[in-house]
Amino acid sequence: MDVNNKRVLVVGLGKSGVASALFLKARGARVTVSDAKPPDQLEDEIPALLDHGIAVETGGHGERTFHGQDLIVVSPGVPTDAPSLVQARALGESVIGEIELAAQFFPGPIVAITGSNGKTTTTTLTGDIMSAGGFRAVVGGNIGTPAISLVEGATADTIAVLEVSSFQLETIQTFRPRVAVVLNVTPDHLDRHRTFAAYTDAKARIFENQRSDDFTVLNADDPTCVELAARTRAAVFWFSRSKEVKQGVFVDDGRIFFRDHSGQKEIMLVAEIPLKGTHNVENVLAAVCAGALLHCEHGHIRQAVRQFKAVEHRLEYVATVRDVEYYNDSKATNVDATIKALESFPANIHLILGGKDKGSDYSVLRDLLRQRVKSVYTIGAAAAKIESQVKGAAEIVSSQTLKNAIKSAAEAARPGDIVLLAPACASFDQFRSYEHRGKVFKEVVAQLAEQAKMATK
């Protein structure tokens, strides 16, 4: 892609938008950025853009701004059906996302990982496996580092391991992963995609440009993933916790095996996985499969898995205070993720739920709440909906804020209990991000720990 002297509009000034604007400007493009937020909310971003000679529009998107552009790059948070983008496409203007922009410039192979849950853990572990195997691997995408930031310094031998979301996949054109991984597909982001079918279609775009010599890795235990196998031209490899697969990675008698046309080899014991929860076994199987397909030695794969530590905000152990354990799973932004978190503990859970609703059905939590949860502490904009849908399954404590919820749970919890933040909602009603929410959780727990320490002196 030649962008020299081309008129390019970047819509949305999140991490990926800023990185895209600076990247394009460095390659000679005439760049304008546009964001609906007022300038006082973009104080950290605007100066660097202006310093590089990039035109900045804030407080809304002017209709004329979208006209006459050679290329429009949209951030994942901008809906693809926004009127200005619909009109731009009607005028024949090219509209892509940052992940597509990166793919057109990145010189090496791409491993792309998507799914409703487990993306960040699997992406991080896959990057570790590649590095342990002696490959030059860079990790980014939806995980935090924009994919476009990985282009500088990359060579044909550099492997990009990318977490990709349904929002990012909506705006691809030529994006082609050497290995495409779909971990699972369960209802999420229905406030944007509207239907589960549309959400699934967005996920399936991950392999629409793959060829027969590429690889698609799918979860054999997930019904939607099984159906998606018919949509890819690539060679399908499976991973499964519950059964043998013809080719891929599976568990048998507590051992993890990789099987392909050359035969079957043991990788490691399930007991060697250091992460909590059966869902993390699935994440490990997927990462192992990606590593094996790119010819990482099995000893290096085992080494990377054994040394792997839980990613921050993903079922992260925080502290034990007065013999009560606190876990931060702020990344559990949908109901299925909360189910997986609850399944990681046998009982005596004090569960913090709530935030910004994404069109979710919280009633599916009822059975697990009855079996394992002592009390539910609701917070945020979704509290009333959650309370109406889980009423009767567990005691409900309406807490409004995260700090209130933690303090109420700490007062009610008894030695041996678990306080778990697994909110099943987005964070944007009260927090900047799920990371911000998780950080606040850890700060409040640290305060409780300090108070308990002082009380014993």
Side-chain angles (χ1 to χ4, degrees), residues 120-142:
T120 300
T121 296
T122 307
T123 302
T124 306
L125 176 56
T126 301
D128 287 359
I129 287 172
M130 297 300 170
S131 297
F135 294 94
R136 187 183 178 203
V138 291
V139 178
N142 195 55

PDB file of all heavy atoms in Angstrom, residues 120-142:
ATOM      1  N   THR A 120      -6.816 -13.040  25.288  1.00  0.00           N
ATOM      2  CA  THR A 120      -5.592 -12.408  25.764  1.00  0.00           C
ATOM      3  C   THR A 120      -4.631 -13.426  26.359  1.00  0.00           C
ATOM      4  O   THR A 120      -3.424 -13.395  26.088  1.00  0.00           O
ATOM      5  CB  THR A 120      -5.929 -11.310  26.791  1.00  0.00           C
ATOM      6  OG1 THR A 120      -6.758 -10.334  26.159  1.00  0.00           O
ATOM      7  CG2 THR A 120      -4.675 -10.644  27.301  1.00  0.00           C
ATOM      8  N   THR A 121      -5.149 -14.345  27.170  1.00  0.00           N
ATOM      9  CA  THR A 121      -4.290 -15.394  27.730  1.00  0.00           C
ATOM     10  C   THR A 121      -3.658 -16.225  26.622  1.00  0.00           C
ATOM     11  O   THR A 121      -2.452 -16.487  26.624  1.00  0.00           O
ATOM     12  CB  THR A 121      -5.109 -16.290  28.674  1.00  0.00           C
ATOM     13  OG1 THR A 121      -5.556 -15.515  29.795  1.00  0.00           O
ATOM     14  CG2 THR A 121      -4.283 -17.469  29.168  1.00  0.00           C
ATOM     15  N   THR A 122      -4.477 -16.643  25.650  1.00  0.00           N
ATOM     16  CA  THR A 122      -3.969 -17.494  24.573  1.00  0.00           C
ATOM     17  C   THR A 122      -2.972 -16.747  23.692  1.00  0.00           C
ATOM     18  O   THR A 122      -1.945 -17.305  23.280  1.00  0.00           O
ATOM     19  CB  THR A 122      -5.138 -18.016  23.719  1.00  0.00           C
ATOM     20  OG1 THR A 122      -6.109 -18.633  24.569  1.00  0.00           O
ATOM     21  CG2 THR A 122      -4.648 -19.026  22.696  1.00  0.00           C
ATOM     22  N   THR A 123      -3.252 -15.490  23.411  1.00  0.00           N
ATOM     23  CA  THR A 123      -2.338 -14.704  22.585  1.00  0.00           C
ATOM     24  C   THR A 123      -0.996 -14.516  23.280  1.00  0.00           C
ATOM     25  O   THR A 123       0.069 -14.695  22.673  1.00  0.00           O
ATOM     26  CB  THR A 123      -2.959 -13.328  22.263  1.00  0.00           C
ATOM     27  OG1 THR A 123      -4.210 -13.523  21.590  1.00  0.00           O
ATOM     28  CG2 THR A 123      -2.044 -12.500  21.380  1.00  0.00           C
ATOM     29  N   THR A 124      -1.043 -14.168  24.558  1.00  0.00           N
ATOM     30  CA  THR A 124       0.195 -13.965  25.313  1.00  0.00           C
ATOM     31  C   THR A 124       1.004 -15.255  25.381  1.00  0.00           C
ATOM     32  O   THR A 124       2.224 -15.255  25.166  1.00  0.00           O
ATOM     33  CB  THR A 124      -0.125 -13.467  26.737  1.00  0.00           C
ATOM     34  OG1 THR A 124      -0.951 -12.306  26.661  1.00  0.00           O
ATOM     35  CG2 THR A 124       1.150 -13.120  27.486  1.00  0.00           C
ATOM     36  N   LEU A 125       0.335 -16.364  25.685  1.00  0.00           N
ATOM     37  CA  LEU A 125       1.027 -17.654  25.773  1.00  0.00           C
ATOM     38  C   LEU A 125       1.593 -18.079  24.420  1.00  0.00           C
ATOM     39  O   LEU A 125       2.720 -18.584  24.338  1.00  0.00           O
ATOM     40  CB  LEU A 125       0.080 -18.726  26.314  1.00  0.00           C
ATOM     41  CG  LEU A 125       0.649 -20.146  26.379  1.00  0.00           C
ATOM     42  CD1 LEU A 125       1.932 -20.198  27.200  1.00  0.00           C
ATOM     43  CD2 LEU A 125      -0.397 -21.116  26.941  1.00  0.00           C
ATOM     44  N   THR A 126       0.840 -17.874  23.357  1.00  0.00           N
ATOM     45  CA  THR A 126       1.340 -18.228  22.022  1.00  0.00           C
ATOM     46  C   THR A 126       2.605 -17.443  21.693  1.00  0.00           C
ATOM     47  O   THR A 126       3.570 -17.986  21.144  1.00  0.00           O
ATOM     48  CB  THR A 126       0.255 -17.973  20.958  1.00  0.00           C
ATOM     49  OG1 THR A 126      -0.910 -18.746  21.271  1.00  0.00           O
ATOM     50  CG2 THR A 126       0.755 -18.354  19.568  1.00  0.00           C
ATOM     51  N   GLY A 127       2.615 -16.156  22.037  1.00  0.00           N
ATOM     52  CA  GLY A 127       3.823 -15.359  21.848  1.00  0.00           C
ATOM     53  C   GLY A 127       4.992 -15.914  22.637  1.00  0.00           C
ATOM     54  O   GLY A 127       6.125 -15.991  22.128  1.00  0.00           O
ATOM     55  N   ASP A 128       4.733 -16.332  23.878  1.00  0.00           N
ATOM     56  CA  ASP A 128       5.791 -16.924  24.705  1.00  0.00           C
ATOM     57  C   ASP A 128       6.300 -18.224  24.100  1.00  0.00           C
ATOM     58  O   ASP A 128       7.510 -18.507  24.118  1.00  0.00           O
ATOM     59  CB  ASP A 128       5.268 -17.190  26.119  1.00  0.00           C
ATOM     60  CG  ASP A 128       5.099 -15.919  26.940  1.00  0.00           C
ATOM     61  OD1 ASP A 128       5.410 -14.829  26.412  1.00  0.00           O
ATOM     62  OD2 ASP A 128       4.658 -16.026  28.102  1.00  0.00           O
ATOM     63  N   ILE A 129       5.393 -19.032  23.564  1.00  0.00           N
ATOM     64  CA  ILE A 129       5.790 -20.294  22.945  1.00  0.00           C
ATOM     65  C   ILE A 129       6.674 -20.035  21.727  1.00  0.00           C
ATOM     66  O   ILE A 129       7.708 -20.692  21.535  1.00  0.00           O
ATOM     67  CB  ILE A 129       4.538 -21.113  22.555  1.00  0.00           C
ATOM     68  CG1 ILE A 129       3.872 -21.688  23.812  1.00  0.00           C
ATOM     69  CG2 ILE A 129       4.896 -22.236  21.579  1.00  0.00           C
ATOM     70  CD1 ILE A 129       2.541 -22.353  23.568  1.00  0.00           C
ATOM     71  N   MET A 130       6.294 -19.069  20.899  1.00  0.00           N
ATOM     72  CA  MET A 130       7.098 -18.744  19.717  1.00  0.00           C
ATOM     73  C   MET A 130       8.494 -18.277  20.124  1.00  0.00           C
ATOM     74  O   MET A 130       9.494 -18.664  19.519  1.00  0.00           O
ATOM     75  CB  MET A 130       6.401 -17.659  18.893  1.00  0.00           C
ATOM     76  CG  MET A 130       5.060 -18.059  18.324  1.00  0.00           C
ATOM     77  SD  MET A 130       5.177 -19.461  17.221  1.00  0.00           S
ATOM     78  CE  MET A 130       3.447 -19.842  17.009  1.00  0.00           C
ATOM     79  N   SER A 131       8.551 -17.434  21.119  1.00  0.00           N
ATOM     80  CA  SER A 131       9.848 -16.930  21.584  1.00  0.00           C
ATOM     81  C   SER A 131      10.700 -18.060  22.159  1.00  0.00           C
ATOM     82  O   SER A 131      11.909 -18.136  21.896  1.00  0.00           O
ATOM     83  CB  SER A 131       9.650 -15.830  22.624  1.00  0.00           C
ATOM     84  OG  SER A 131       8.992 -14.710  22.069  1.00  0.00           O
ATOM     85  N   ALA A 132      10.069 -18.927  22.956  1.00  0.00           N
ATOM     86  CA  ALA A 132      10.804 -20.065  23.519  1.00  0.00           C
ATOM     87  C   ALA A 132      11.321 -20.985  22.420  1.00  0.00           C
ATOM     88  O   ALA A 132      12.383 -21.608  22.563  1.00  0.00           O
ATOM     89  CB  ALA A 132       9.907 -20.847  24.483  1.00  0.00           C
ATOM     90  N   GLY A 133      10.581 -21.043  21.306  1.00  0.00           N
ATOM     91  CA  GLY A 133      10.986 -21.877  20.180  1.00  0.00           C
ATOM     92  C   GLY A 133      12.056 -21.260  19.303  1.00  0.00           C
ATOM     93  O   GLY A 133      12.444 -21.841  18.282  1.00  0.00           O
ATOM     94  N   GLY A 134      12.525 -20.057  19.682  1.00  0.00           N
ATOM     95  CA  GLY A 134      13.602 -19.431  18.925  1.00  0.00           C
ATOM     96  C   GLY A 134      13.136 -18.506  17.821  1.00  0.00           C
ATOM     97  O   GLY A 134      13.960 -17.974  17.066  1.00  0.00           O
ATOM     98  N   PHE A 135      11.839 -18.299  17.715  1.00  0.00           N
ATOM     99  CA  PHE A 135      11.311 -17.397  16.686  1.00  0.00           C
ATOM    100  C   PHE A 135      11.324 -15.955  17.195  1.00  0.00           C
ATOM    101  O   PHE A 135      11.255 -15.705  18.399  1.00  0.00           O
ATOM    102  CB  PHE A 135       9.881 -17.787  16.316  1.00  0.00           C
ATOM    103  CG  PHE A 135       9.768 -19.123  15.649  1.00  0.00           C
ATOM    104  CD1 PHE A 135       9.495 -20.263  16.392  1.00  0.00           C
ATOM    105  CD2 PHE A 135       9.940 -19.250  14.280  1.00  0.00           C
ATOM    106  CE1 PHE A 135       9.389 -21.499  15.788  1.00  0.00           C
ATOM    107  CE2 PHE A 135       9.834 -20.488  13.664  1.00  0.00           C
ATOM    108  CZ  PHE A 135       9.565 -21.620  14.424  1.00  0.00           C
ATOM    109  N   ARG A 136      11.388 -15.029  16.260  1.00  0.00           N
ATOM    110  CA  ARG A 136      11.241 -13.614  16.615  1.00  0.00           C
ATOM    111  C   ARG A 136       9.751 -13.296  16.564  1.00  0.00           C
ATOM    112  O   ARG A 136       9.171 -13.168  15.482  1.00  0.00           O
ATOM    113  CB  ARG A 136      12.015 -12.745  15.629  1.00  0.00           C
ATOM    114  CG  ARG A 136      12.021 -11.278  16.056  1.00  0.00           C
ATOM    115  CD  ARG A 136      12.732 -10.413  15.052  1.00  0.00           C
ATOM    116  NE  ARG A 136      12.677  -9.012  15.474  1.00  0.00           N
ATOM    117  CZ  ARG A 136      12.805  -7.996  14.657  1.00  0.00           C
ATOM    118  NH1 ARG A 136      13.017  -8.191  13.371  1.00  0.00           N
ATOM    119  NH2 ARG A 136      12.746  -6.764  15.114  1.00  0.00           N
ATOM    120  N   ALA A 137       9.144 -13.193  17.723  1.00  0.00           N
ATOM    121  CA  ALA A 137       7.696 -12.996  17.800  1.00  0.00           C
ATOM    122  C   ALA A 137       7.384 -11.652  18.432  1.00  0.00           C
ATOM    123  O   ALA A 137       8.047 -11.228  19.388  1.00  0.00           O
ATOM    124  CB  ALA A 137       7.047 -14.115  18.602  1.00  0.00           C
ATOM    125  N   VAL A 138       6.384 -10.975  17.892  1.00  0.00           N
ATOM    126  CA  VAL A 138       5.862  -9.737  18.475  1.00  0.00           C
ATOM    127  C   VAL A 138       4.380  -9.944  18.736  1.00  0.00           C
ATOM    128  O   VAL A 138       3.682 -10.604  17.960  1.00  0.00           O
ATOM    129  CB  VAL A 138       6.102  -8.524  17.555  1.00  0.00           C
ATOM    130  CG1 VAL A 138       7.579  -8.186  17.497  1.00  0.00           C
ATOM    131  CG2 VAL A 138       5.564  -8.762  16.143  1.00  0.00           C
ATOM    132  N   VAL A 139       3.893  -9.382  19.837  1.00  0.00           N
ATOM    133  CA  VAL A 139       2.523  -9.638  20.288  1.00  0.00           C
ATOM    134  C   VAL A 139       1.760  -8.323  20.369  1.00  0.00           C
ATOM    135  O   VAL A 139       2.261  -7.324  20.895  1.00  0.00           O
ATOM    136  CB  VAL A 139       2.524 -10.336  21.665  1.00  0.00           C
ATOM    137  CG1 VAL A 139       1.101 -10.558  22.158  1.00  0.00           C
ATOM    138  CG2 VAL A 139       3.266 -11.667  21.586  1.00  0.00           C
ATOM    139  N   GLY A 140       0.533  -8.314  19.852  1.00  0.00           N
ATOM    140  CA  GLY A 140      -0.260  -7.085  19.920  1.00  0.00           C
ATOM    141  C   GLY A 140      -1.663  -7.289  19.408  1.00  0.00           C
ATOM    142  O   GLY A 140      -2.228  -8.371  19.488  1.00  0.00           O
ATOM    143  N   GLY A 141      -2.241  -6.216  18.863  1.00  0.00           N
ATOM    144  CA  GLY A 141      -3.630  -6.245  18.412  1.00  0.00           C
ATOM    145  C   GLY A 141      -4.542  -5.754  19.513  1.00  0.00           C
ATOM    146  O   GLY A 141      -4.233  -4.801  20.232  1.00  0.00           O
ATOM    147  N   ASN A 142      -5.638  -6.420  19.691  1.00  0.00           N
ATOM    148  CA  ASN A 142      -6.625  -6.048  20.716  1.00  0.00           C
ATOM    149  C   ASN A 142      -6.082  -6.205  22.135  1.00  0.00           C
ATOM    150  O   ASN A 142      -6.680  -5.760  23.091  1.00  0.00           O
ATOM    151  CB  ASN A 142      -7.883  -6.913  20.528  1.00  0.00           C
ATOM    152  CG  ASN A 142      -9.082  -6.372  21.278  1.00  0.00           C
ATOM    153  OD1 ASN A 142      -9.468  -5.231  21.111  1.00  0.00           O
ATOM    154  ND2 ASN A 142      -9.679  -7.218  22.121  1.00  0.00           N
TER     155      ASN A 142
END
